[in-house]
Amino acid sequence: MIRRALAWLDDRSGLVSWLKHALTHPVPPRTGWWYTFGSATFLAFVLQVVTGIALATAYVPSSGQAYDSLRFISEQALMGRFLRGLHYFGASAMVVMIGAHVARTYIMGAYKFPRELNWLSGALLLLLTMALAFTGQLLRWDQTAVWSVIIGAAQAGRMPVVGPQVARFLLAGDTVGGATLSRFFAFHVFFIPALVFALVGLHLMLVLRHGISERPVPGQPVDKATYRAAYQEMLRREGVPFWPDAAWRDVVFGAAMVAIVALLALVIGPPELGKPPDPSILEAYPRPDWYFLWYFALLALTPTSWEDAVIVFAPLVFGIVLLLIPIFNTGERSVRRRPWAALVVLFIVVTIGIFWAAGERAKWSPDFSAAPLSASAVHNDNPTVVEGARLFHDKGCEFCHAIGEQGGQRGPDLTEVGTRMNAVGIAGKITNGGPGMPAFARTLSPREVEALTAFLVTRQ
Amino acid sequence: MTPSRRRFLSRVSIALSAAVAAVVGVPVVGFLLSPLTRKVPRQWRAVGQAELFKVGQTVSVTFDDASPLPWSGVTARTAAWLRREDTETFTAFAVNCTHLGCPVRWLADAGLFLCPCHGGVYNGDGSVAAGPPPKPLPRYPVRVRQGRVEILTSPLPIA
């Protein structure tokens, strides 16, 4: 019965034979776990589409009402909180998996002849994934989201000539308002996913056309003249059917990924909604989601004179290099003969890791929550010193300088400043400032400088 | 079919397809790009009676965009830091740091604006005191009419 139905379906559509062909096409043996990141990325994307559609049935993409609809989804709708968590951690999984997939294909030289277009379509998918991540963060239409549109627009505005136009295009106007969110919603939900679907289709078609790249062997460089014949010969000799010989690993790895995403969604839950998206609430601390935190850190640590280069040209150069990589499309594939490939990946991973860790701590951000120093922290009864300790908080010093366990970390820790500077040095520093510190000559009276200095000298 | 007839029909088909694509494509692209051409009227918005502001004080004031859409909700609201210089003059600063646009906070006791994102610092007159900001805080036009302080709504200060 089922067999007959399938036979009918295949006769009329050809789908069954095509699927059978796709599933059983021979793949190189011993591909191993390194080859599972691509299918995991795809699975994460499917997860995003499914959970995204579910969320879209309740989300109101209006800048006036999105926040309330998100509250409803998170607090009242059945499993809404879990769904939001799935969508959030699914996005994280997609970013991580596509990163691993790109690194793997680069290290194994899988982008080389004849698979240049596999790489190009994949590179575009990487950029689109980042675009999805950025636009998605904005749909969480709370205070942070609103400020990240403004910051995104300010960054776009740094572009020469077209900057202000690009910024207005993003904001859909001069300010964040009624049209901004609708625009990001349309991009996040319709436009970019449509492009992703098309490119994933192309990407998979190319994988079937050229076959999964075999494990690179040192000393066996790709030669355009002989590669294809050798690959087919290898498949004939020792190829195994994709299903189930290789596919089982994809299934196991993908299931593990979904399990982790679901677990995180259950245990940690979606990111909390912050304050309402009211641009007139100035008590804001805009920070990007984790996958862009390293970039936020990079901008914080870049010297001012380099900033335009980092904001405008670094992404441009990154994009161009990414697209140009398949130009080096023959020769050695094995990483043992391409040590620089491993070094490049290692460099990128370590750099992003360092900036990411720096972004987590965000030492450059003033700590507005620093409380006035307690009497025990001041541990001195001299009225001038006590006065100085009070000024240390009131004049904002403590937002950037720590004393003991309190205060910000933007400036040097002043817990023991009295051991390394004398009164004259401290007073000079306060009045004249420095590259990261304002000169307080205009805002402090000589008496206040004296009190602050008296307080700081006792810190040892 | 003769080759010439075939060539004629293929040309007609291509031309018609291009015309259809243009009929759909032009409005779509134009619609997407419309924010670039739209001129938003700038409006004076009252933010309070002049006598409520003390000389020498800087406070945040809230007002609406030039032309908020009815469904903008609270996102239509915007803010500025308003400083009363003397009995006659007021200064209105944008709240956006010139580094990347984060909202700066006024520390009244210290007489400084401080940005929470990357630690930019401005003096009370909006000039850069320290940190990454490349330019002083932008200012909005401000005037006093019939005893009320009014601020001219402005685009986000970008670039």
Side-chain angles (χ1 to χ4, degrees):
Chain A
M1 176 73 186
I2 293 174
R3 199 175 291 262
R4 274 181 56 201
L6 282 179
W8 180 87
L9 187 67
D10 194 41
D11 179 63
R12 302 301 193 275
S13 70
L15 279 176
V16 180
S17 332
W18 181 84
L19 194 65
K20 205 178 263 177
H21 163 76
L23 281 176
T24 56
H25 78 281
V27 300
R30 302 179 303 278
T31 45
W33 293 97
W34 291 111
Y35 283 62
T36 56
F37 298 137
S39 66
T41 308
F42 179 62
L43 180 62
F45 174 65
V46 172
L47 180 70
Q48 291 310 89
V49 171
V50 174
T51 53
I53 289 172
L55 289 170
T57 58
Y59 181 72
V60 182
S62 136
S63 46
Q65 291 156 327
Y67 185 74
D68 290 331
S69 72
L70 277 162
R71 285 226 98 94
F72 169 78
I73 290 171
S74 318
E75 292 162 12
Q76 293 178 39
L78 178 68
M79 313 242 272
R81 196 182 137 79
F82 181 53
L83 260 183
R84 268 195 66 211
L86 283 180
H87 200 68
Y88 174 74
F89 287 106
S92 303
M94 191 169 158
V95 170
V96 171
M97 288 303 143
I98 202 169
H101 184 53
V102 172
R104 200 281 295 173
T105 47
Y106 179 65
I107 286 178
M108 290 196 179
Y111 60 86
K112 298 201 173 200
F113 176 88
R115 301 186 179 86
E116 299 95 326
L117 282 183
N118 297 42
W119 175 273
L120 271 182
S121 54
L124 291 176
L125 282 167
L126 173 67
L127 300 180
L128 290 175
T129 302
M130 300 320 273
L132 280 174
F134 179 63
T135 50
Q137 185 191 339
L138 289 168
L139 298 194
R140 192 169 69 236
W141 196 239
D142 60 1
Q143 187 185 45
T144 309
V146 169
W147 282 106
S148 48
V149 203
I150 295 175
I151 293 163
Q155 282 181 42
R158 294 280 188 106
M159 277 191 250
V161 189
V162 293
Q165 270 74 29
V166 175
R168 295 188 77 192
F169 179 79
L170 281 177
L171 293 175
D174 287 325
T175 52
V176 176
T180 315
L181 178 61
S182 305
R183 172 161 295 235
F184 275 92
F185 182 76
F187 273 82
H188 183 76
V189 171
F190 298 114
F191 188 51
I192 306 176
L195 288 176
V196 170
F197 271 117
L199 279 167
V200 164
L202 175 67
H203 200 68
L204 290 179
M205 197 192 84
L206 290 170
V207 169
L208 282 175
R209 179 183 169 85
H210 300 301
I212 295 173
S213 67
E214 75 281 23
R215 286 217 158 205
V217 180
Q220 280 184 19
V222 176
D223 178 355
K224 278 185 188 171
T226 59
Y227 178 78
R228 278 195 163 120
Y231 181 77
Q232 291 304 329
E233 173 56 27
M234 179 272 299
L235 279 192
R236 246 192 314 278
R237 224 178 33 247
E238 45 182 342
V240 294
F242 172 69
W243 178 273
D245 289 50
W248 73 271
R249 285 198 194 87
D250 291 306
V251 174
V252 170
F253 188 75
M257 180 190 76
V258 172
I260 292 173
V261 166
L263 195 69
L264 289 170
L266 266 183
V267 175
I268 300 178
E272 293 301 322
L273 289 179
K275 292 178 197 166
D278 180 343
S280 71
I281 302 177
L282 300 178
E283 294 266 305
Y285 181 30
R287 283 162 68 80
D289 279 344
W290 71 266
Y291 28 74
F292 289 121
L293 195 57
W294 61 275
Y295 187 65
F296 174 79
L298 180 67
L299 293 184
L301 298 172
T302 305
T304 313
S305 53
W306 280 54
E307 222 157 50
D308 286 335
V310 170
I311 292 176
V312 178
F313 292 106
L316 199 68
V317 169
F318 171 77
I320 291 174
V321 169
L322 195 68
L323 297 178
L324 287 186
I325 280 176
I327 282 184
F328 309 97
N329 59 8
T330 50
E332 281 286 349
R333 285 183 54 212
S334 169
V335 72
R336 292 196 195 150
R337 302 286 174 96
R338 295 159 58 234
W340 45 269
L343 283 178
V344 165
V345 171
L346 189 71
F347 175 76
I348 292 175
V349 170
V350 169
T351 307
I352 288 184
I354 289 173
F355 279 116
W356 185 71
E360 266 300 301
R361 291 155 71 198
K363 282 172 114 177
W364 53 81
S365 285
D367 177 10
F368 288 100
S369 64
L373 292 166
S374 61
S376 63
V378 178
H379 63 73
N380 196 310
D381 294 337
N382 181 322
T384 315
V385 171
V386 173
E387 161 84 356
R390 191 180 59 76
L391 288 169
F392 187 75
H393 175 268
D394 292 350
K395 296 296 178 182
C397 315
E398 199 182 330
F399 298 147
C400 295
H401 295 284
I403 284 193
E405 298 298 303
Q406 287 186 56
Q409 297 186 302
R410 179 169 169 77
D413 189 312
L414 300 183
T415 311
E416 295 178 345
V417 64
T419 60
R420 56 177 194 268
M421 286 174 89
N422 61 19
V424 178
I426 291 173
K429 191 75 194 162
I430 293 172
T431 43
N432 299 327
M437 172 178 166
F440 281 87
R442 302 204 293 187
T443 46
L444 292 179
S445 68
R447 230 192 66 78
E448 289 171 327
V449 174
E450 195 186 317
L452 264 170
T453 307
F455 164 65
L456 289 172
V457 168
T458 62
R459 299 299 100 190
Q460 38 196 330
Chain B
M1 266 200 289
T2 60
S4 62
R5 181 172 153 78
R6 187 170 279 148
R7 193 179 314 132
F8 170 74
L9 289 177
S10 73
R11 279 182 187 167
V12 166
S13 301
I14 290 172
L16 270 178
S17 305
V20 169
V23 166
V24 183
V26 167
V28 166
V29 172
F31 190 77
L32 279 176
L33 294 180
S34 63
L36 303 187
T37 54
R38 199 183 303 142
K39 278 277 165 282
V40 175
R42 301 181 76 188
Q43 298 211 7
W44 289 97
R45 297 268 196 230
V47 296
Q49 294 294 323
E51 68 257 24
L52 296 178
F53 299 96
K54 294 199 189 105
V55 171
Q57 266 196 352
T58 303
V59 293
S60 74
V61 289
T62 300
F63 51 101
D64 277 357
D65 276 352
S67 56
L69 293 169
W71 57 91
S72 297
V74 289
T75 56
R77 283 143 64 94
T78 183
W81 289 109
L82 184 69
R83 177 179 178 82
R84 182 165 204 171
E85 307 286 354
D86 52 51
T87 48
E88 299 298 316
T89 44
F90 287 81
T91 312
F93 298 105
V95 299
N96 303 93
C97 181
T98 55
H99 182 224
L100 288 175
C102 291
V104 297
R105 301 186 201 185
W106 171 247
L107 307 179
D109 289 328
L112 297 169
F113 294 101
L114 193 51
C115 179
C117 286
H118 296 134
V121 191
Y122 302 84
N123 295 309
D125 62 0
S127 59
V128 178
K135 283 180 283 192
L137 281 179
R139 297 178 179 203
Y140 295 138
V142 54
R143 70 182 186 189
V144 180
R145 278 290 157 90
Q146 293 157 353
R148 293 186 309 175
V149 183
E150 295 184 344
I151 290 182
L152 187 61
T153 58
S154 304
L156 270 179
I158 283 169

